[in-house]
Every structure is written in structure tokens, then in C-alpha cells.
Amino acid sequence: MTRILPVLAPILAGLFTASLLRAQEAAADALHVFLDCSGFGCDEQFIRSEIDWVAYVRDRQDADVHLLITRQQTGGGGWEYTLEFLGQGVLTGQSLDLRYTSPQTATEDEEREGLVRTMRFGLAAFVAARNPGAEGLEVRYEPANGAAPRTTAGIDDPWDFWTFSIRLGGSFDGEARRKSWDIDGSVEAERVTEQWKFELETQGEQGHGRFEIDSVTTVTSEEHEYGLSTLLVRSLGAHWSAGGRAGAESSTRLNQNFSVRLAPAIEYSVFPYQLFNRRQLTFLYSVGLSHFDYREITLFGKLSETLPEHSLRGTLELNQPWGEAEISLTGRQFLHDGERFSLDLFNRLDVRVLRGLSVSLFGGVSYIRDQLFLPAGDADPEEILLDLRELETNYDYFLSLGFSYTFGSIYNTVVNPRF
């Protein structure tokens, strides 16, 4: 064996090197694609295994085509995917937009199959554009069961565009000195058309906990949160919408036996609504009444009150080849007292700074002057430790910051699911 190895080693090394060079040449000749679905996270391994006639690269600067995929939920509970094929290099200036809509009842496998099928259409066009001969490329259409292609014209929908969803869940966990359980559920109804949008949701959560501090001290906790909310919106063209929200809530954490809110609203979109997949800049103003019935007397000596209020929210969302960004600023004020208001700033950012280098930022900060629901008196230690009630504060914040850097081979076409 020791005599054979020195002879075989150069041969095996040569075969491996030749095989590697052939693979690199094949990858170099293929259409270079940067797959960008970071906004929601698609099944990249499945996509690469099903479409293996292009070369996937890890940086968009190395690509012939930047494939940007975004999605929005449809009124029926499914997803509408927008696939934007952006040519680069020799294909600069060439672009193609395709859409794929999955039904609400689609399984994860059916959804990714439909997405891959749509991707093939677009990538085939760019393969042909990059290589006019397009050797090895063939396009066929085979109608199911020999039937003619179907269209959506004249569809008789027995549900009249209504969709419904019911969810029920719960959990239980414990150990020798701690036990807890909670149940939650929701019912949703929705109807969405080009002109109208209606949503109705009711949800609830009930929780219980029991904690043994020592042999003589046991702490129990009971909390619940129930809510009903509805939204009605009417389209007023490419830039304007009008409607309103209404809701009711009961919450132990917010010291509310019952609260109800009714608020008409109007929204202006700087960009036409049709461009929502790539950029949005909207301003939403609402004004209305809120009624509160408290569990305990508040810091202001109230057991119930009805108050006028208004709010304004501005939101900017971008989904571009360089990354994704979202920032929103919301102001809310009770009109009976101008000093009772809150400001909320939220941002989400994921940017490719340089080749292989990305930065992500997720955070928000709030200035709070409108905690009218706070009960009088100090919170018990158990309520503070178990987070059973809201505490008095002038602000809150959260922040998440991360960097990632990837380097090495620009190709990642191999799919290996072992282990």
C-alpha cells in the first residue's frame, strides 16, 4: 500500500485539478445570478437545485443579473411575489418584472414550486440575451390535460373575495417550583378588492403562573388580553385612500377592564401605490375618540373617561438592489391636554456597504407622556419581576446592530444536503 500511494497521489491530484478547472469554466460561461430575497428569506437551496443551469454568485457586483424578489400578502391570505430581473455588465439596461401569486391554501412546497417556475421564465430570457445561440435552452408549454389556458376573466367567486382564518393554541411548562400555562387564539375575516379593503380580527390570550419562592411563600399570576379590531379603507386613486379603524380591548397589563376607539383616517402616498414593492412614502392622519374603563383608579383619579385624540404617521420603505430600509415616525396626542402625547421612531436597515460587507440595524425609541391608564400606588415586586403591569416611564428603546463580511469564491452553485 505504501508503494501504491506515491504513484496514485499525483494521478488523483491531476484528476481533481482537471475536474475543478472544468467546473470553474462551466460556471464562468453560465449566466451569473445574484439571488436577493433577503426581505423574507426564500428556500435558496431548493432554488439552486431546481435551476442549476445558471451560476449563483454571492455578491451582486459579480452578477449578470440581480434577481430581486419581494412579496406582499394578498387579500385572500396568499402571497404575491414580485420578481425583478435587473441586468448588469453587458446586460445593463435590460430588465424584466414578473409576478407570481400563491393561493392561501398552497403548501410550502407548492409555493416554492410556483416561484421557481416563474424564475425559469425570466432567467431563460436573460440566458438568450447573453448568448443569442442559447445552446441547450428549450421552451415548451404543455397545458394540463390538454386544456386551453385559463384566465381570471368572468370568474364566479362563491365567497365574493372573502377569506377567513381561525387559530387556536396554547402552551404548558413547569418544573419542581414553577408552573405556567397560557392559551391564545384569533379569528380573522378579510375582503380585499382594488377599491375596498376590509379587515376584522378578534384575538385573546389568557395566562396563569405559579411560583414557589420558598417553603412558605408562593406567588401566582393571572393575566389576560382580549381585543377586537376592524379596518375599512376606500381607494381614492393612485395616491389617496380614506377609511378608518375601530377597536375594543381588555388588558390586565394596561389596567383596562374595557376600552374602545373609533378613528376615521386619510392616507397620502407620495409614490403611486403600484410601486409599493420598491418604494413607499406614506403619511397617515387619523382623529377620533377613545373611551377607557379602568380596573383600578388611575394616577389622575379616574375610573373611566372618554377622550378625543389624533395621530400622524410617516413611513418610508425602500427595497432596492443595495438593500432594504424602513423608517417611521408616529405622533399621538390627546386633545384634552396637549402635554399628553407620545412619539415613536422605528427603523430597520439592511445595506450592502462594500463587496461582501453588509450592515444591519433594527431599533426604535419612544418618548412617552400619555400613560393615562397607570393605576395609583406603587407596583408590587411580583408585578415588576413578572412584568404583569406597565410601569411609569418617559421613554423606552431597543437596538440591534450587526455586521457580516463574506469572502472567498464568488460561486455557490453546489447544493449538498448531507448531515
Side-chain angles (χ1 to χ4, degrees):
M1 178 66 70
T2 55
R3 296 179 180 178
I4 297 176
L5 285 177
V7 177
L8 289 179
I11 299 175
L12 293 175
L15 291 174
F16 176 77
T17 302
S19 177
L20 181 61
L21 289 173
R22 285 195 297 271
Q24 291 176 339
E25 291 173 357
D29 290 338
L31 183 74
H32 288 39
V33 176
F34 176 63
L35 180 59
D36 186 358
C37 48
S38 55
F40 62 93
C42 54
D43 191 341
E44 295 190 21
Q45 178 169 292
F46 177 78
I47 292 172
R48 291 169 183 159
S49 64
E50 293 296 304
I51 306 178
D52 57 1
W53 35 273
V54 300
Y56 298 95
V57 296
R58 61 173 178 81
D59 196 287
R60 66 185 180 93
Q61 296 179 2
D62 297 313
D64 299 314
V65 176
H66 180 173
L67 175 50
L68 177 61
I69 306 177
T70 58
R71 72 175 186 179
Q72 294 284 337
Q73 194 160 29
T74 67
W79 293 97
E80 181 188 68
Y81 293 85
T82 300
L83 295 80
E84 298 186 68
F85 301 80
L86 308 173
Q88 301 184 161
V90 296
L91 298 177
T92 297
Q94 300 188 42
S95 63
L96 176 65
D97 291 353
L98 297 177
R99 294 184 184 238
Y100 161 66
T101 303
S102 67
Q104 180 191 31
T105 55
T107 64
E108 182 177 336
D109 182 64
E110 292 172 335
E111 194 169 310
R112 66 182 187 176
E113 286 279 4
L115 182 61
V116 164
R117 182 170 60 251
T118 308
M119 289 175 60
R120 288 194 185 104
F121 299 151
L123 291 175
F126 280 89
V127 169
R130 185 172 180 267
N131 177 17
E135 183 178 352
L137 178 64
E138 180 181 354
V139 179
R140 291 187 306 173
Y141 171 70
E142 297 178 356
N145 302 321
R150 296 183 297 176
T151 67
T152 57
I155 287 181
D156 182 16
D157 183 3
W159 291 97
D160 192 28
F161 300 104
W162 282 95
T163 58
F164 303 89
S165 176
I166 300 175
R167 181 183 60 83
L168 179 65
S171 66
F172 176 84
D173 65 273
E175 51 188 50
R177 298 172 58 182
R178 179 188 60 82
K179 298 179 177 63
S180 64
W181 59 262
D182 71 83
I183 57 174
D184 64 275
S186 66
V187 178
E188 300 176 33
E190 186 177 57
R191 185 178 188 270
V192 179
T193 66
E194 291 292 332
Q195 296 299 320
W196 289 96
K197 180 178 182 179
F198 175 79
E199 297 177 354
L200 176 66
E201 178 183 8
T202 178
Q203 57 84 27
E205 183 176 1
Q206 179 80 41
H208 171 84
R210 185 175 185 274
F211 308 87
E212 295 182 11
I213 306 302
D214 52 41
S215 59
V216 296
T217 306
T218 299
V219 175
T220 61
S221 67
E222 297 284 348
E223 55 182 325
H224 74 258
E225 183 173 346
Y226 309 122
L228 172 69
S229 63
T230 183
L231 168 70
L232 180 65
V233 182
R234 176 69 163 90
S235 171
L236 300 179
H239 296 272
W240 289 93
S241 298
R245 291 183 181 273
E249 185 179 14
S250 175
S251 172
T252 53
R253 178 177 170 80
L254 299 181
N255 187 32
Q256 294 174 359
N257 279 323
F258 178 76
S259 68
V260 61
R261 180 173 186 259
L262 176 63
I266 190 166
E267 181 182 73
Y268 175 71
S269 177
V270 175
F271 305 113
Y273 284 109
Q274 291 82 353
L275 302 179
F276 67 90
N277 280 301
R278 292 297 293 272
R279 59 184 183 271
Q280 297 184 64
L281 178 57
T282 59
F283 297 93
L284 176 67
Y285 177 74
S286 67
V287 59
L289 284 175
S290 293
H291 173 77
F292 303 96
D293 182 16
Y294 301 112
R295 295 166 55 88
E296 302 176 31
I297 294 179
T298 68
L299 289 172
F300 304 92
K302 301 288 186 179
L303 266 177
S304 66
E305 56 186 334
T306 301
L307 303 172
E309 62 174 272
H310 66 162
S311 66
L312 176 64
R313 183 182 69 204
T315 303
L316 173 65
E317 294 185 50
L318 299 173
N319 199 321
Q320 300 293 323
W322 47 260
E324 299 84 36
E326 176 184 355
I327 184 169
S328 68
L329 178 63
T330 304
R332 179 189 179 194
Q333 182 185 47
F334 287 103
L335 295 175
H336 78 291
D337 184 349
E339 293 185 357
R340 301 303 169 189
F341 67 93
S342 63
L343 292 173
D344 301 289
L345 177 65
F346 168 81
N347 75 85
R348 175 181 60 87
L349 185 66
D350 189 356
V351 178
R352 301 175 186 92
V353 181
L354 299 170
R355 178 187 293 270
L357 177 63
S358 296
V359 58
S360 60
L361 176 67
F362 181 78
V365 60
S366 300
Y367 181 60
I368 304 169
R369 296 290 304 276
D370 60 352
Q371 292 178 294
L372 301 180
F373 55 84
L374 291 176
D378 296 330
D380 297 331
E382 293 85 358
E383 293 178 316
I384 297 175
L385 293 174
L386 299 177
D387 195 26
L388 297 179
R389 64 180 256 185
E390 194 86 6
L391 302 178
E392 184 175 7
T393 182
N394 286 328
Y395 66 91
D396 65 25
Y397 61 89
F398 65 97
L399 178 66
S400 173
L401 177 65
F403 299 88
S404 66
Y405 182 62
T406 306
F407 56 94
S409 172
I410 67 172
Y411 300 108
N412 52 6
T413 58
V414 177
V415 175
N416 188 339
R418 297 169 182 81
F419 276 61

